[in-house]
Amino acid sequence: MSGAVIALYAEFTALPGHEAEVAHLLRELTAHVRREAGCVRFDPHQLETNPAAFFVYEEYRDLAAFDAHRAAAYGAEFNRALGPIIAGDGSTLTLLAPLV
């Protein structure tokens, strides 16, 4: 698995009144992540039908690149800032497996 592209998506919901703050934090994170050598794709979205809901599609070159992403200090800072302004215990991550 270490040579396979790692694909996943993250979902989280802003608490009422924090939608703009979450969007700002996500834009800042995106600028950092897209500069990672192993990042293939990092596409954040805010749902049109529910502006409090956020969705991020991510791809990393391989497991080592994904591990480097998870170890980045700016990711930890993002999660610390995000935690108190979203519903639940954090973002929900869903790993994806290619069909072909």
Side-chain angles (χ1 to χ4, degrees):
M1 180 168 186
S2 63
V5 169
I6 305 298
L8 66 136
Y9 63 89
E11 297 176 284
F12 44 91
T13 302
L15 292 174
H18 291 280
E19 298 85 355
E21 188 178 357
V22 169
H24 173 76
L25 289 170
L26 193 50
R27 284 186 197 97
E28 287 184 338
L29 177 68
T30 299
H32 288 290
V33 175
R34 287 184 175 171
R35 288 192 294 265
E36 293 174 8
C39 177
V40 175
R41 181 175 206 123
F42 190 89
D43 295 332
H45 300 275
Q46 189 172 20
L47 276 62
E48 282 189 22
T49 56
N50 179 4
F54 293 83
F55 175 93
V56 183
Y57 178 74
E58 306 176 44
E59 289 182 2
Y60 300 91
R61 181 184 60 234
D62 54 24
L63 186 56
F66 182 54
D67 288 343
H69 164 73
R70 291 189 304 179
Y74 49 80
E77 291 171 20
F78 170 81
N79 288 325
R80 270 193 299 279
L82 189 68
I85 59 173
I86 62 171
D89 293 331
S91 58
T92 300
L93 299 181
T94 303
L95 289 170
L96 302 170
L99 290 176
V100 291

